[in-house]
């Protein structure tokens, strides 16, 4: 019995499972926010939808450990970017641009300097810096805070969203 407790205690404290086993990521447990027809190339599951100005953003994941963000908005803004979090190369997310959360492996990417995506196993961080965001609408597991020229979005379980963006002004439905 003591040997079993020691074995399970050692594996539970190993933070490497966060990167090595994407199937156990908290993001993988979130419900899908779109039908198969709405899933971008490379994605298995869409976690949310963010509509702001010319952007129609779709945060997605794949069980291989990939997180991504597709913009299905106007032709000039369309893109699909992704990151393999299992190859985070030791980068760690602590606090970035006002986001708070657990210290965990992270990776990030940007599109033309206006849209940024940061991924961890427990949450995705999206920022949109665009002068004309208009009304913001969220669907799925997301919350956002909007200022005049910047939209800050966290996608994740309610606990992760509240921890990272406690002053959210828009909540996904």
């Amino acid at each position: 019995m003591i040997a079993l407790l020691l074995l399970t205690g050692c594996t539970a404290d190993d933070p490497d499972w966060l990167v090595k086993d994407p199937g156990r990521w908290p993001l993988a447990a979130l419900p899908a926010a779109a039908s198969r027809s709405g899933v971008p190339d490379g994605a298995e599951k869409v976690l949310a939808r963010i509509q702001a100005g010319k952007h129609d953003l779709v945060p997605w994941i794949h069980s291989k450990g990939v997180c991504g963000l597709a913009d299905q908005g106007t032709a000039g803004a369309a893109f699909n970017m992704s990151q393999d979090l299992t190859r985070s190369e030791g980068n760690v997310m602590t606090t970035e641009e006002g986001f708070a959360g657990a210290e965990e492996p992270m990776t990030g990417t940007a599109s033309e300097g206006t849209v940024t995506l940061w991924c961890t196993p427990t949450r995705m961080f999206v920022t949109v810096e665009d002068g004309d965001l208009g009304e913001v609408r969220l669907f799925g597991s997301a919350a956002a805070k909007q200022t005049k020229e910047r939209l800050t979005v966290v996608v994740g379980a309610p606990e992760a969203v509240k921890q990272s963006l406690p002053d959210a002004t828009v909540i996904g439905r």
Side-chain angles (χ1 to χ4, degrees):
M1 180 70 151
I2 293 174
L4 179 62
L5 288 173
L6 288 173
L7 284 174
T8 57
C10 291
T11 58
D13 292 340
D14 182 11
D16 288 340
W17 74 265
L18 279 173
V19 175
K20 293 178 182 173
D21 191 358
R24 290 178 48 194
W25 290 358
L27 282 178
L30 293 174
S35 65
R36 277 302 302 163
S37 63
V39 177
D41 291 342
E44 276 185 345
K45 185 191 291 187
V46 170
L47 301 180
R49 188 169 179 188
I50 306 160
Q51 295 176 324
K54 65 183 178 186
H55 301 283
D56 188 0
L57 300 170
V58 179
W60 58 266
I61 59 170
H62 191 283
S63 61
K64 292 179 183 175
V66 177
C67 68
L69 183 68
D71 190 337
Q72 300 175 337
T74 61
F79 63 79
N80 188 9
M81 57 186 173
S82 62
Q83 291 287 310
D84 184 344
L85 192 53
T86 64
R87 299 180 183 170
S88 68
E89 299 177 5
N91 297 325
V92 175
M93 168 73 76
T94 53
T95 302
E96 193 277 323
E97 300 275 344
F99 293 117
E103 185 173 306
E104 54 188 330
M106 59 77 68
T107 187
T109 188
S111 173
E112 298 179 17
T114 59
V115 178
T116 307
L117 169 68
W118 294 96
C119 296
T120 77
T122 62
R123 61 201 87 199
M124 298 169 77
F125 304 95
V126 178
T127 56
V128 180
E129 295 189 50
D130 192 335
D132 185 22
L133 293 172
E135 178 187 357
V136 174
R137 295 179 6 166
L138 295 179
F139 303 92
S141 303
K145 180 179 179 183
Q146 183 179 5
T147 61
K148 187 172 184 167
E149 294 183 3
R150 182 184 180 119
L151 178 67
T152 303
V153 182
V154 176
V155 177
E159 304 80 38
V161 169
K162 186 172 181 165
Q163 180 184 42
S164 297
L165 199 60
D167 54 351
T169 55
V170 184
I171 306 294
R173 44 186 159 106

